[in-house]
Structure formats: C-alpha cells, structure tokens
Amino acid sequence: MQIPEYENYHETKSHSTPDFPYNAYICSIPLDFEKVPLHWHDEVEIIYIKKGRGRVTLDFTSLYVEAGDIIIVSPGQLHAIGPAEYSMEYENIIFEMDFLGAGAADLCAGEFLVPLAAGKLLPPVCVHKEEEDYEELKQCLSQMEDLCESREKGYELGVKAAVLQMLFLLIRKYPCVKEVSSPDRERLKVVLQEIEKNISENLTVREIAEFCGWSDSHFMRWFKKMTGLSFISYVNERRLAVAAEALKKSNDKILSISQEAGFTNLSNFNRQFKSRYGVTPKEYREMTDI
C-alpha cells in the first residue's frame, strides 16, 4: 500500500521534477491514512474530491466537502484534510509557481503570479458543483488529468495552459480579495517550524511559550484555539508522523527511529504508534513496502 508523504507542517518534499514542477496523485481517507495534519508549503495545491465526503480545513476554517468539490490552496496557506469522519477519495495536484512563469518580468507575473505566490491573490477557495464557473473549472481538471495520462508530445504545454485557464476563471470569480494573511497565521507557521526543528528534543510548553514571548497559560490557550489540539497532543502527533515517515524511508532499527522522533521509551512508542495507526511499527513498515 502506498502512503503519500504529507508529514511536515512546512512541507519541503519535492512533488515534481525541476524541468516539470507539477504532480498529481490519488489519495484515500481512511484507506491510505486517517488524516493529513495541518501544514503549509510554497506550492499551489488543488484538492479535487472524486468520491465520498469529508472535511478540509483552510486557515482554521473547517469545510464540509463532497464528491465534485474543488479546493484551491494558495502558497503559504495552512490546511489539513480529515480526520476520517467519512470515507473520501481525492486527487491531489501540486505545482510550483515557477511552473506558471512567476519569475518572468511581465504584466501577468507582476499583477497575478507574484501575488499568488505571496498568498495575496485568492481567498480560501472551495467551489461546489452548483456554483457558476464550476463546469469550466472541472473541464480544466479533466484536461490536466487526461494529458498527464496520455503524455502525448507537448502534453506539458497543455497542462500549463489548463492551469492558467483555471487561474483566470478563479480570478474572474474572486476579483476583489482582501489581505488573506493574518498575524496569527504567520505566528503559528513560525511556531510550527520551531516545533519541527526541535521535534526530537524534550519540548516543553515553557520553552515554546518563552519563544513566543508569552506566559504558559496564554500560549496554551492560543495554541489550542489555532490548531484544535493541546500542545502536548500536537507534538505527539508530529512525533508519530516523523516515526512513520522514517519507517517508510529507512531500514533503521525501530528503537533508533523512536528515539530520533523524540520518544524515550520503546514500549510507550509501540503502544502509541499502534493506537494512532492501528498496527505496530513493524507491521506498518511491512505494509508500506508492498
């Protein structure tokens, strides 16, 4: 069973190749994984719900989504998928801004692509089937999918054209956009990076609260409000995710992996891992090797 890599709050995984920075793949909840935790990355992400229904979070707003819905995630936007309240299959499309020519010195880059890369062009977007422009947006997605499947000569140009057409439709649909960033969102992104950087250490509320310049109680209230989880639960989720990723990617001993993820007790790690993923670390590694 293949489980796509999502386990980084500031995701740095390359989803493509340098000469064609575009990638698409099918994911399923809960078949592949229970949820995609809160994270952000520098690419544009399109989430196209193919079957079922579920939840997608965009900048702390939880949205109910179902088959046919199209969600656009701008660069730098915090987002999550799940948890697995319902069964849902979706296509994930991720591309870098260079794919669209964001580095060009022309009107299109300056007026649209640079603001998009900065997260200032579009609001959180979830387009439902009954909305205006939906069929045209869906047609763009179908064209991208068909071209990537056929890989006929010049298909890269066709994919790029379909993405640009989709962007045009979205700009026409949302012509006036307020500043989509916020101090809280930017502060949370910094906090998540600090947690990620020190995930193998003995992280405490006191240390992260001091990092923010806040009291312990203020930080804990703010963190719970922003993420929906207590600090301890959140760090534990991250540690388990780091361990799961290492089990997929390396042949290191399970004890070493648990320690690198910040667990000091192997029995506790095994128990928590099975509670989170439904299988032991050894079984999880065997599943992901299939």
Side-chain angles (χ1 to χ4, degrees):
M1 180 175 67
Q2 182 180 6
I3 301 180
E5 297 175 2
Y6 285 95
E7 310 295 345
N8 223 331
Y9 291 100
H10 178 195
E11 191 173 61
T12 56
K13 170 184 179 286
S14 176
H15 294 280
S16 51
T17 59
D19 57 344
F20 190 59
Y22 172 99
N23 197 13
Y25 42 85
I26 296 293
C27 305
S28 177
I29 290 180
L31 183 61
D32 291 333
F33 38 79
E34 182 184 353
K35 65 180 178 180
V36 179
L38 195 70
H39 68 289
W40 63 281
H41 42 67
D42 298 321
E43 298 85 10
V44 177
E45 179 173 347
I46 301 172
I47 303 167
Y48 180 31
I49 311 300
K50 306 283 264 185
K51 299 177 183 177
R53 53 182 178 152
R55 292 277 175 184
V56 171
T57 299
L58 296 178
D59 279 346
F60 319 119
T61 300
S62 179
L63 305 172
Y64 171 82
V65 295
E66 57 187 357
D69 287 350
I70 301 168
I71 300 96
I72 310 297
V73 181
S74 296
Q77 187 173 57
L78 286 159
H79 57 289
I81 307 174
E85 182 180 355
Y86 309 105
S87 176
M88 183 171 71
E89 181 181 294
Y90 60 95
E91 182 176 19
N92 231 180
I93 299 170
I94 298 181
F95 57 88
E96 298 177 17
M97 287 305 304
D98 286 348
F99 174 63
L100 300 181
D106 60 16
L107 182 146
C108 288
E111 188 80 11
F112 306 111
L113 301 183
V114 171
L116 176 61
K120 297 179 180 179
L121 185 69
L122 297 172
V125 174
C126 179
V127 184
H128 304 290
K129 288 183 287 187
E130 65 274 9
E131 293 186 39
E132 186 179 359
D133 292 331
Y134 173 82
E135 288 301 326
E136 292 177 90
L137 289 167
K138 181 181 175 182
Q139 186 176 355
C140 292
L141 289 171
S142 298
Q143 183 179 348
M144 292 149 62
E145 188 175 337
D146 292 344
L147 286 166
C148 286
E149 185 175 343
S150 69
R151 291 183 176 266
E152 60 185 276
K153 185 174 178 59
Y155 83 95
E156 299 93 339
L157 283 173
V159 171
K160 184 173 181 177
V163 173
L164 287 170
Q165 174 65 11
M166 193 170 191
L167 181 58
F168 162 69
L169 293 170
L170 291 169
I171 292 172
R172 187 173 68 180
K173 186 175 179 66
Y174 304 99
C176 300
V177 179
K178 298 178 182 178
E179 174 64 51
V180 296
S181 186
S182 72
D184 272 335
R185 187 179 83 165
E186 298 309 310
R187 186 178 294 112
L188 180 60
K189 286 161 68 174
V190 172
V191 169
L192 295 182
Q193 284 182 304
E194 184 67 11
I195 292 173
E196 191 69 27
K197 187 171 65 175
N198 298 285
I199 197 67
S200 64
E201 306 299 324
N202 183 27
L203 283 171
T204 66
V205 170
R206 173 65 55 83
E207 290 170 340
I208 302 298
E210 287 180 354
F211 174 77
C212 294
W214 292 337
S215 68
D216 295 4
S217 58
H218 178 73
F219 170 75
M220 287 189 293
R221 287 194 300 270
W222 175 82
F223 194 85
K224 179 69 179 289
K225 175 184 174 183
M226 299 300 289
T227 67
L229 292 172
S230 70
F231 174 76
I232 293 174
S233 296
Y234 196 84
V235 170
N236 201 54
E237 280 283 313
R238 282 299 305 124
R239 286 175 170 160
L240 289 170
V242 167
E245 192 64 26
L247 287 167
K248 290 187 289 181
K249 281 186 168 183
S250 76
N251 293 317
D252 293 348
K253 293 182 178 180
I254 292 175
L255 175 61
S256 298
I257 287 174
S258 68
Q259 292 172 339
E260 284 294 317
F263 291 93
T264 58
N265 183 286
L266 181 60
S267 297
N268 179 48
F269 167 67
N270 287 333
R271 183 173 61 256
Q272 291 200 44
F273 193 94
K274 185 169 184 179
S275 175
R276 170 65 175 81
Y277 291 98
V279 293
T280 66
K282 182 176 183 295
E283 291 168 339
Y284 183 88
R285 171 174 272 167
E286 292 170 350
M287 288 169 57
T288 57
D289 284 339
I290 293 176

